Amino acid sequence: QVQLVESGGGSVQAGGSLRLSCEASGIRFGIHYMAWFRQPPGKERDVAAVINSDGSTHYEDFVKGRFTISRDSAANRDTMYLQMGNLEPEDTGVYYCKVEDKLGFSYWGQGTQVTVSP
């Protein structure tokens, strides 16, 4: 059974930092990529950062230079992180982790709330 468990959200003031974690287990066929998505209030969910199986990364413009995505792999689980710095009120939203396996199946975490006050 695939499980994605997110943690690390919270409330901070503008300019502050947070680190999100997403622990993935039960991925039977290997991971193609892991990603963080952001969904601001009343808006669509958009990709923020991606880390591929070869370790390469991609950042959307709105997080470049402020956020860092990384991943630790163990025998039975993979943990993805999003180190968020210089946070802005516009970063407020629910952050979701997504894992796509090598067969093309996608899995989503439950989401974690990030609130940035001015």
Side-chain angles (χ1 to χ4, degrees):
Q1 180 180 355
V2 175
Q3 284 192 315
L4 272 62
V5 179
E6 299 183 39
S7 60
S11 298
V12 296
Q13 290 189 320
S17 301
L18 284 173
R19 189 174 85 151
L20 307 183
S21 299
C22 172
E23 184 176 289
S25 59
I27 309 291
R28 295 178 58 195
F29 302 110
I31 292 175
H32 179 202
Y33 70 82
M34 303 178 78
W36 287 102
F37 281 69
R38 181 181 79 178
Q39 187 166 20
K43 296 185 179 180
E44 293 184 352
R45 190 180 303 185
D46 288 324
V47 63
V50 180
I51 186 162
N52 297 299
S53 58
D54 63 359
S56 61
T57 58
H58 168 79
Y59 297 94
E60 290 298 307
D61 286 346
F62 62 84
V63 303
K64 273 182 183 176
R66 301 188 300 123
F67 293 7
T68 302
I69 190 171
S70 61
R71 172 184 169 184
D72 286 333
S73 296
N76 297 316
R77 60 178 51 86
D78 289 83
T79 305
M80 176 177 62
Y81 303 97
L82 188 67
Q83 180 67 48
M84 304 188 293
N86 195 19
L87 283 161
E88 303 168 350
E90 293 74 21
D91 294 317
T92 293
V94 180
Y95 284 71
Y96 295 90
C97 67
K98 176 187 175 184
V99 173
E100 182 173 295
D101 69 17
K102 293 186 177 180
L103 295 185
F105 293 105
S106 294
Y107 306 93
W108 291 89
Q110 81 280 8
T112 187
Q113 176 70 43
V114 171
T115 303
V116 185
S117 57

